[in-house]
Amino acid sequence: MSDTQTFLDTLKARSSNYTAEPTWIAARRQAGAARFEALGFPTRRDEEWKYTDVRSIAQGNFALADNAEFSPASAAALTLPIDAYRLTFVDGVFSSALSDVDSLPSSVQVLPLSKALAENHEAVGGPLGRLTGVDFSPFAALNTAFMEEGAVVRIAPGTVVDKPILLQFLSRAGQPVMCHPRVLVEAGGRSEATLIEHYTGESEATNFTNVVGELMLDRGAILAHYKLQEAPLGDMHVASIHVEQGRDTRYTSYNLSLGGALVRNDLISDLNGQGAETNFLGLFFGQGRQHVDNHTKVNHNAPLTFSNENYKGILDDRAHGVFNGKVYVKRDSQKIEGFQSNQNLLLSDRAHIDAKPELEIYADDVKCSHGTTTGQLDEEAIYALRTRGIDEATARGLLTLAFAGEVLDKVTLDAIAERVELAVAGKLPERFNLAGLVEAAVSLND
């Protein structure tokens, strides 16, 4: 039996759950299944996947979860300590017990996809799948075929959401399962919001999450989007996020990857209106045999648009990182600015990074730049810190944190920054003035 057929058989066995769904959903599900069957899983012969081997997913035997049972105490230990409107999913199944959206203002809707479809499926049908169709990738097609749950966020024009909207995805240990969440965000004109996607779970989990996000920003909307991925080290995680930006919008992505055995992020932003601005801030940390692959693309489809990308990778042990970033400037998209930087730090001689920054420009009045660097910790800086009475492990942690600082300094949510700092640098002794020592470490590197 082929790898593809195993997943199609699971879909067929699930079909009894779909008998009452609207015709348009059934048609899209069938289109997703057909496209996935035609494409099959990508292989390293495919240019977009040449550095990432997905056989661990393709050959997996993943079931589908049918309940959201999770200990409240265990969930509390994993949850970000942030005051937020919260939707929680356990192995892709919505948990009302672990969610809290009761105090949402009337101008904001945060619903599980299943409820949004039940209440008004026609309102969901238009935007769903408009940005990320079944042709985008085999994983997007697979997500469409298995599309059952996810989140729908709608923000009325002019609304400033008073606290973050948190979508929490928990992974359980036990029989390996898969889930295919769909995230749909519609930000009305001149609205402002912070969205957090948080992926975490029980340490022994070995599950597969395949998420598709479609984010649509109307004129003047501002969205800060945090994706904190600290899944268990046995989990596999694939994400396809597509952003559509209208005139004078501002989108900032904080893509923070800390966990997972195999991780692939595709992030695309379409700047379709003058004055649109996108900022991609990324930090990925790999250890053991983790594999983290980030593919990004900014499409400057209109003149007078701006993009800035800064991705940093930190790899230890035998970890493997991939960065492929592309800035595309459409013909006649004049007076745009597009900047891209990728820097990587290898903490081990066995760690490996494949980096490929790209520019594709069809206009002449532009300011664009790109570049990538890879290096190791400065042994002289380590020695200098040790002469100040700091042990070697702490010195290395501080210098690693200093390397990440350019991205972390822009993370405005302390709870998220602390999670990243702990993963990157370990628990540093409290007697040190961390801010001061990181500043000293940076000056030693200069």
Side-chain angles (χ1 to χ4, degrees), residues 253-332:
S253 165
Y254 303 85
N255 185 14
L256 309 168
S257 289
L258 308 176
L262 186 154
V263 178
R264 166 69 178 239
N265 290 302
D266 281 279
L267 175 59
I268 301 168
S269 187
D270 292 332
L271 283 70
N272 293 338
Q274 292 188 23
E277 173 185 330
T278 195
N279 297 282
F280 287 176
L281 300 169
L283 180 66
F284 54 98
F285 176 68
Q287 55 189 319
R289 291 183 177 270
Q290 283 181 270
H291 180 95
V292 186
D293 180 350
N294 287 296
H295 271 59
T296 67
K297 187 178 182 183
V298 178
N299 293 313
H300 287 269
N301 296 328
L304 296 167
T305 51
F306 174 87
S307 70
N308 186 44
E309 178 170 11
N310 188 359
Y311 262 64
K312 295 209 169 191
I314 302 170
L315 302 171
D316 202 354
D317 304 322
R318 293 180 179 270
H320 182 195
V322 180
F323 173 80
N324 187 301
K326 186 171 187 177
V327 175
Y328 172 86
V329 181
K330 189 176 180 180
R331 191 175 305 278
D332 297 327

Side-chain angles (χ1 to χ4, degrees), residues 84-155:
Y85 302 111
R86 188 187 316 271
L87 281 189
T88 300
F89 303 86
V90 179
D91 290 336
V93 180
F94 173 63
S95 171
S96 58
L98 300 176
S99 299
D100 182 8
V101 292
D102 293 339
S103 59
L104 272 170
S106 58
S107 58
V108 182
Q109 287 186 318
V110 180
L111 303 169
L113 177 62
S114 56
K115 184 176 181 180
L117 290 171
E119 290 182 352
N120 188 354
H121 69 85
E122 293 178 346
V124 179
L128 195 69
R130 184 165 64 80
L131 300 183
T132 307
V134 299
D135 291 328
F136 177 73
S137 74
F139 288 100
L142 188 64
N143 175 283
T144 303
F146 280 97
M147 184 174 56
E148 294 183 1
E149 194 54 282
V152 176
V153 177
R154 297 192 184 100
I155 305 167

Side-chain angles (χ1 to χ4, degrees), residues 36 122 198 334 434:
F36 172 67
E122 293 178 346
H198 183 209
Q334 307 291 358
L434 181 59

